[in-house]
């Protein structure tokens, strides 16, 4: 049985914006940047002051390059992809294939890279981690934390993609009460990232993509902090969330969810 014990998000940054993106996400989270690793120093980890890491950065080189894995977000712009931490990547990959995923690469080191039925890149790894970091408390006495990855799914692929992630993780699916375009998977205690499944409008096509979301108990103050660090507001969605562009050109959101529980207030 596939049991997901941890989730890591990769922020994929093209060379021309990698430095700016790294500085921004380090400042937004208050996490230190690890020494670079990889054949060309293309990988770093954001290190929380307490707890295990769950955010990594990759300087992409085009195509599907990855951390010695032959994987990545793909495309020329910034993006994200996921690592799911499991006891047996081989067994989990077989289950993922049966659910409609396509294997991209099987490493001699034990990890497996796949694309979901809708084309989102994920990697199955064996790296036991367990200590979820707490939210960061800022000088204005509010808190925030990156705690969600939203999968942006074209409407034609939505039902298949939702079923895939629910079956692969074995996490319960819950529908949004007020917004039918959203569902989320109920993460077990201790998992650092929740998966939100967003159905895009009928005009959207192409592969499934993803973006990071922060939870904050004071969204206006948090958004102002991000703007001071170089982010640009794209849209304010009233009592729910604000969409921004980071200095590397990547979309992400600041939400009104409780940074301690990840739930709406």
């Amino acid at each position: 049985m596939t049991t997901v014990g941890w989730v890591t998000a990769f922020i994929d940054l093209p060379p021309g914006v990698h430095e700016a993106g790294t500085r921004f996400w380090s400042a937004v989270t208050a996490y230190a940047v690890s020494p670079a690793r990889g054949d060309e120093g293309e990988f770093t980890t954001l290190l929380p002051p307490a707890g295990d890491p769950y955010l990594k950065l990759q300087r992409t080189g085009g195509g599907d390059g990855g951390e010695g894995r032959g994987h990545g977000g793909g495309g020329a712009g910034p993006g994200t992809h996921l690592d799911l931490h499991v006891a047996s990547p081989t067994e989990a990959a077989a289950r993922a294939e049966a659910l409609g995923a396509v294997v991209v690469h099987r490493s001699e080191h034990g990890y497996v890279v796949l694309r979901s039925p809708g084309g989102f890149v994920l990697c199955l790894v064996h790296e036991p981690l367990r200590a979820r970091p707490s939210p960061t408390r800022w000088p204005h006495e509010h808190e925030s934390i990156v705690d969600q990855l939203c999968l942006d799914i074209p409407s034609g692929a939505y039902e298949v993609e939702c079923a895939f992630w629910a079956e692969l993780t074995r996490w319960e699916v819950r529908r949004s009460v007020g917004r039918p375009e959203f569902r989320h998977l109920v993460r077990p205690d201790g998992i650092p990232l929740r998966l939100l499944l967003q159905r895009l409008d009928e005009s959207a096509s192409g592969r499934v993509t993803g973006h990071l979301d922060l939870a904050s108990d004071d969204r206006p103050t948090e958004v102002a902090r991000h703007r001071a660090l170089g982010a640009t507001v794209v849209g304010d969605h009233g009592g729910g969330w604000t969409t921004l562009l980071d200095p590397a050109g990547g979309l992400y959101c600041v939400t009104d969810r409780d940074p301690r529980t990840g739930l709406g207030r």
Side-chain angles (χ1 to χ4, degrees):
M1 179 185 294
T2 302
T3 299
V4 177
W6 194 257
V7 178
T8 295
F10 271 83
I11 303 168
D12 302 315
L13 298 167
V17 295
H18 176 263
E19 185 176 345
T22 299
R23 285 198 306 268
F24 176 80
W25 284 102
S26 176
V28 158
T29 58
Y31 294 174
V33 180
S34 75
R37 60 190 181 278
D39 293 341
E40 299 179 3
E42 64 269 41
F43 301 104
T44 52
T45 299
L46 296 180
L47 303 172
D52 289 325
Y54 66 101
L55 298 172
K56 296 184 179 182
L57 302 118
Q58 172 182 233
R59 187 180 67 246
T60 58
D64 286 337
E67 188 167 1
R69 303 176 186 172
H71 81 290
T80 59
H81 66 276
L82 281 180
D83 280 4
L84 300 183
H85 299 234
V86 297
S88 172
T90 300
E91 292 180 8
R95 176 168 175 75
E97 282 190 286
L99 294 170
V102 176
V103 171
V104 176
H105 176 67
R106 297 182 190 272
S107 170
E108 62 181 6
H109 301 293
Y111 50 79
V112 184
V113 185
L114 309 96
R115 288 190 183 275
S116 73
F120 190 80
V121 173
L122 65 145
C123 188
L124 300 168
V125 304
H126 177 65
E127 183 185 5
L129 299 170
R130 63 181 63 187
R132 178 188 173 198
S134 297
T136 301
R137 190 158 190 85
W138 300 101
H140 288 285
E141 300 301 317
H142 76 287
E143 293 185 333
S144 68
I145 188 170
V146 177
D147 73 333
Q148 182 168 267
L149 187 131
C150 178
L151 295 175
D152 301 309
I153 307 169
S155 60
Y158 191 68
E159 294 300 333
V160 170
E161 197 74 3
C162 287
F164 169 77
W165 289 98
E167 290 293 330
L168 181 62
T169 60
R170 298 186 185 272
W171 295 353
E172 178 188 354
V173 179
R174 289 189 182 169
R175 299 172 182 262
S176 171
V177 175
R179 290 188 172 270
E181 70 271 28
F182 289 112
R183 301 175 192 173
H184 74 270
L185 302 184
V186 180
R187 59 180 171 179
D189 290 344
I191 299 291
L193 290 169
R194 185 174 83 157
L195 297 184
L196 180 67
L197 307 162
Q198 176 178 207
R199 186 182 68 245
L200 301 178
D201 63 35
E202 296 293 336
S203 65
S205 61
R207 291 195 319 208
V208 175
T209 59
H211 68 266
L212 293 175
D213 291 339
L214 293 91
S216 175
D217 57 8
D218 185 343
R219 180 160 55 103
T221 300
E222 179 71 1
V223 168
R225 187 177 71 84
H226 288 228
R227 293 182 65 187
L229 292 170
T232 302
V233 173
V234 175
D236 191 314
H237 303 273
W241 69 96
T242 301
T243 302
L244 303 99
L245 279 175
D246 68 26
L251 279 169
Y252 72 99
C253 295
V254 176
T255 79
D256 285 329
R257 293 175 300 106
D258 188 319
R260 294 281 169 175
T261 67
L263 301 177
R265 299 193 302 273

